[in-house]
Amino acid sequence: MNIQETQNELQEEFALFDDWMQRYEYLIELGKTLPLLEEDYKTEDHLIKGCQSKVWLHAKSNEGLVYFTADSDAIITKGIIAMLIRVYSGQKPQDILAASNEFIDEIGLKEHLSPTRANGLVSMIAKIKMYALTLQSAN
């Protein structure tokens, strides 16, 4: 599945819920699906700056695709990074860099986050794209 298809799928999933309490619960469920991040990656180098909570993000390249793993110490934030990983993990670096993030506005996420969480979301996307750029340059 490509990035756009995954984004569309997430939009459809969020549209199933009537209110934001249900959507927050869904985000929390997404966070529970994240595989455990190895303790070796819970370091300052992998910490996303600009997030109020702690969010660690690790990326590796395998056969030209970028794979992300992450964790957070906050349940909503963990759900947000899980959603982003679902969209971007297993994709080509150039596709990650070219991807639009309009799906976040489409599902209404940014407007329903506190300003600090919204800033954290922007920081997460920036870090994902930075990893993609670095791994694209390395290949």
Side-chain angles (χ1 to χ4, degrees):
M1 194 177 289
N2 69 30
I3 291 173
Q4 186 63 54
E5 290 167 341
T6 306
Q7 290 175 343
N8 292 343
E9 188 177 79
L10 278 164
Q11 285 177 22
E12 290 169 15
E13 289 169 13
F14 273 85
L16 296 172
F17 302 105
D18 296 328
D19 63 44
W20 267 94
M21 285 312 294
Q22 292 174 322
R23 290 176 182 169
Y24 282 130
E25 288 173 21
Y26 184 61
L27 267 178
I28 291 167
E29 288 304 311
L30 285 175
K32 291 177 182 175
T33 68
L34 268 181
L36 288 176
L37 181 67
E38 293 178 36
E39 290 298 317
D40 294 354
Y41 299 126
K42 289 186 177 181
T43 63
E44 194 68 30
D45 290 346
H46 293 93
L47 204 57
I48 296 178
K49 311 291 186 264
C51 288
Q52 183 178 0
S53 343
K54 290 189 175 186
V55 181
W56 298 272
L57 180 68
H58 172 69
K60 66 179 180 181
S61 179
N62 187 8
E63 296 182 10
L65 302 177
V66 182
Y67 294 92
F68 295 99
T69 53
D71 196 7
S72 175
D73 62 354
I75 57 173
I76 299 277
T77 308
K78 192 170 184 168
I80 294 168
I81 195 67
M83 180 183 69
L84 294 175
I85 285 175
R86 182 169 151 193
V87 170
Y88 297 111
S89 196
Q91 303 294 331
K92 295 177 185 167
Q94 60 269 31
D95 293 342
I96 295 169
L97 292 168
S100 161
N101 296 309
E102 288 179 16
F103 81 102
I104 293 167
D105 294 329
E106 295 292 325
I107 60 177
L109 183 60
K110 210 182 276 185
E111 68 193 56
H112 287 88
L113 293 176
S114 66
T116 52
R117 279 206 183 112
N119 288 341
L121 172 62
V122 170
S123 297
M124 289 179 214
I125 293 168
K127 185 80 168 184
I128 285 169
K129 293 203 176 218
M130 189 273 308
Y131 271 128
L133 184 62
T134 302
L135 291 170
Q136 180 183 35
S137 302
N139 291 335

